[in-house]
Structure formats: structure tokens, C-alpha cells
Amino acid sequence: MMDSPSYLFKGLDDDHLEIIYAIMKSSPMEEGHQIFTEGQEAKELFVLSKGAVELTTTVENDFELPISILRTAGEVLGVSSIVPPYCYSLSARCVEKGELGRIDRLELQNLMESDHALGSAILTNLSAYFLDRLKETRQELKIHFKMLLKSTRL
Amino acid sequence: MMDSPSYLFKGLDDDHLEIIYAIMKSSPMEEGHQIFTEGQEAKELFVLSKGAVELTTTVENDFELPISILRTAGEVLGVSSIVPPYCYSLSARCVEKGELGRIDRLELQNLMESDHALGSAILTNLSAYFLDRLKETRQELKIHFKMLLKSTRL
């Protein structure tokens, strides 16, 4: 795990990485397993070690819109567990069996509150990640908007 | 200013708020004034004191898609100045004359790095804000997607 740090732990020194890995538990995941569901309380943060996970969001209560598929070791999912109100904003399902690192939200919170330098480093990475996703999602909106502009010949 | 703390400074104690306000400069803004432009280096964070500011993003190089209008004292703009790569992700223009608080990015960074408790508090608020905007933007995408589903009768 130490050789595949995620974007969330970028810039952390080895001592901090060791503290993080010390509270990470590993568990296997099978294809089709629902890791978490949109709207649920976010009790855990996950780090992909092996396999693939699909992230989706529900439209009209019965249609799942795919958001992305994570395949790279070190990818993080369930970051809503770091941010109030601690509620998963997407659903995650295993689409290729593998292994997941799991970090309990409260244990991570305790670490980040007792070591604010560690907390700041993780939160800076998280903010940069959210801002990237926000830009990406706005970009998709722009594409839809362009299509609308063209179809209405404005 | 002390009576209208922004979401970004939520939960800060009075000492921390005073430190922030000490590096904030106030300047008037006139209607039509371009405060910052999408893609520019984000050198300053702004706090609205009075008046109104419109946030937009550019589509097709010549069309400005409105994102929101800020009218409430304490609203923050230019938060890209807190997050690498420090580049404004939207454009901001004054649409009703008023007054802006301005905080130099490097001064704020110095504060946040020399006082990690302050840094963590601001970054937690910022992450929660980005996550909200991300959910909101995804929600808009879902609406477009629903329209598409209906128009293609899938």
C-alpha cells in the first residue's frame, strides 16, 4: 500500500502515511457487491487496492447514471466520510473482484483533529479534488448547454 | 464585518476571526466592474460586504453561462485562491455597486500554514462547500439527463 499513495494522502511524510495505514483494514470485495449507497451515512473511507468499482447516482428513483469507474490502486472512494454532513453522495459497486482498504470515519477524524498538520494536508488535497470534480461536472453541463443552444438555434 | 461571518469562517473563534479580518482590505466596487476572470491566477479571496456579484462561466468562447448571483454580506468568492493550482474557475462581475473585502492569497496561506488549527477549520468548511456545489451541479446534470431520457423515450 505504501507504494501507491492516493491523491488524498499526497505530500504526507512517511510518519503520517504510517499512521494512516495503521488504521486501514483490508477486505476482499466480490463482483456485484454494493460498497455503499447514495444517501447513506458515510461511516467509512475506502482505498482501492485491486479490482474495479463503479460510481453511480440515481435519477428518477430507478435509473442509475454512471459517474466513473475506478481501476487504479490507491484511488479513494467515499470521501463524503471526511466532510459534514457525512453522507455518501454517490453509490459504489464492485464491478471486478479485488480488495479494498477501509478506514473508519471516527478514527480518521480523531487523527486529523489530534494532528492538525495531517488534517490540513488531507483537507487541502480533498478540496483540490472536489474543485477538479466540480470543474469537470460544470464542463459536462456546458456540453449539454451547447447542445441546447444548437438545437434551439439561439 | 464581525457580525456577518461567511460559511468559510464558520466555527472559528474570535481570535481566529480577528486574525483573518486583520489581513482583509476593503475596497468599493462599481457596477460592471470585472472582479476576476475564469482562468486567471487566483491571487485574492473576496468577501462581499455590500452590493451584488454575478458568477459566470464561458461557453464556446463567447457565451457567458450564469452560475449564481451573490447578494448576502459575508458571501465568499474566489475560493480557488485557497486551493492549488490557484486559478479562478469562474468569472465574477459586480452587478450592483457595493463593497468588497479582499484577502491576499499568500497572506492567507501563511496564516493557515503557521496555524494548522485555523487552516483545518477553513479547509473543512471549504470542502463541505465544494461538496455542496458538486451535488448541486450533478443535480442540474440529472435534470438535463431526465429531459434527454424523455425526449428519446428510453
Side-chain angles (χ1 to χ4, degrees):
Chain A
M1 194 57 90
M2 296 290 270
D3 56 339
S4 61
S6 113
Y7 74 85
L8 197 59
F9 307 133
K10 206 179 68 178
L12 297 194
D13 57 32
D14 284 349
D15 289 349
H16 279 153
L17 282 177
E18 266 177 39
I19 293 175
I20 297 286
Y21 293 134
I23 60 166
M24 197 185 298
K25 291 170 188 104
S26 187
S27 58
M29 59 171 186
E30 295 299 323
E31 197 176 321
H33 173 66
Q34 188 79 17
I35 301 161
F36 53 79
T37 302
E38 186 174 349
Q40 263 183 350
E41 188 189 346
K43 293 184 179 175
E44 286 180 302
L45 176 75
F46 300 88
V47 182
L48 185 65
S49 309
K50 208 182 145 203
V53 172
E54 184 179 37
L55 299 175
T56 61
T57 183
T58 302
V59 181
E60 301 260 87
N61 295 323
D62 54 359
F63 187 86
E64 291 204 326
L65 183 63
I67 298 287
S68 60
I69 293 187
L70 310 180
R71 300 184 173 282
T72 312
E75 297 245 39
V76 168
L77 45 156
V79 284
S80 300
S81 59
I82 310 183
V83 184
Y86 311 111
C87 179
Y88 293 120
S89 65
L90 297 172
S91 295
R93 193 175 50 238
C94 173
V95 289
E96 188 189 308
K97 74 176 229 169
E99 209 173 294
L100 269 186
R102 315 163 71 104
I103 299 177
D104 181 78
R105 175 183 100 206
L106 298 176
E107 286 190 59
L108 182 61
Q109 263 178 355
N110 283 342
L111 278 190
M112 290 170 68
E113 277 164 22
S114 62
D115 185 336
H116 280 301
L118 173 64
S120 285
I122 290 178
L123 288 165
T124 300
N125 291 335
L126 183 64
S127 297
Y129 171 78
F130 279 150
L131 185 56
D132 271 352
R133 293 292 78 71
L134 187 56
K135 284 184 201 166
E136 206 176 79
T137 310
R138 278 191 193 135
Q139 197 54 42
E140 285 180 57
L141 256 189
K142 283 187 196 181
I143 292 167
H144 282 275
F145 194 78
K146 276 186 206 175
M147 282 163 54
L148 260 178
L149 278 180
K150 276 175 192 159
S151 70
T152 55
R153 294 171 173 271
L154 271 178
Chain B
M1 195 57 90
M2 296 291 271
D3 57 338
S4 61
S6 114
Y7 75 85
L8 197 60
F9 307 133
K10 206 179 69 180
L12 297 194
D13 57 32
D14 284 349
D15 289 348
H16 278 153
L17 282 177
E18 267 178 41
I19 292 174
I20 297 286
Y21 293 134
I23 60 166
M24 197 184 298
K25 291 172 188 101
S26 187
S27 57
M29 59 172 184
E30 294 299 322
E31 197 177 323
H33 173 66
Q34 188 79 18
I35 302 161
F36 53 78
T37 302
E38 187 173 350
Q40 263 183 350
E41 187 189 346
K43 293 184 178 175
E44 286 181 301
L45 176 75
F46 300 88
V47 182
L48 185 64
S49 309
K50 209 182 145 205
V53 172
E54 183 179 38
L55 299 175
T56 60
T57 183
T58 302
V59 180
E60 301 261 87
N61 296 325
D62 55 357
F63 187 85
E64 291 205 324
L65 183 63
I67 297 289
S68 61
I69 293 187
L70 311 178
R71 300 184 173 282
T72 312
E75 297 245 41
V76 167
L77 46 155
V79 285
S80 300
S81 59
I82 309 181
V83 184
Y86 312 112
C87 179
Y88 293 121
S89 66
L90 296 172
S91 295
R93 192 175 50 237
C94 173
V95 290
E96 188 189 308
K97 73 175 229 171
E99 208 174 294
L100 270 185
R102 316 163 72 104
I103 300 177
D104 180 79
R105 175 183 102 207
L106 297 176
E107 286 190 57
L108 183 60
Q109 263 178 355
N110 283 342
L111 279 189
M112 290 170 69
E113 276 164 22
S114 62
D115 184 336
H116 281 302
L118 174 64
S120 286
I122 290 178
L123 288 165
T124 299
N125 291 334
L126 183 64
S127 297
Y129 171 78
F130 279 149
L131 185 56
D132 272 352
R133 291 294 78 71
L134 186 56
K135 284 183 199 165
E136 206 177 78
T137 310
R138 278 189 192 136
Q139 197 55 41
E140 285 180 57
L141 256 189
K142 282 186 194 180
I143 292 168
H144 283 275
F145 195 77
K146 276 185 203 174
M147 282 165 52
L148 260 178
L149 277 179
K150 276 176 191 158
S151 69
T152 55
R153 294 171 173 272
L154 274 177

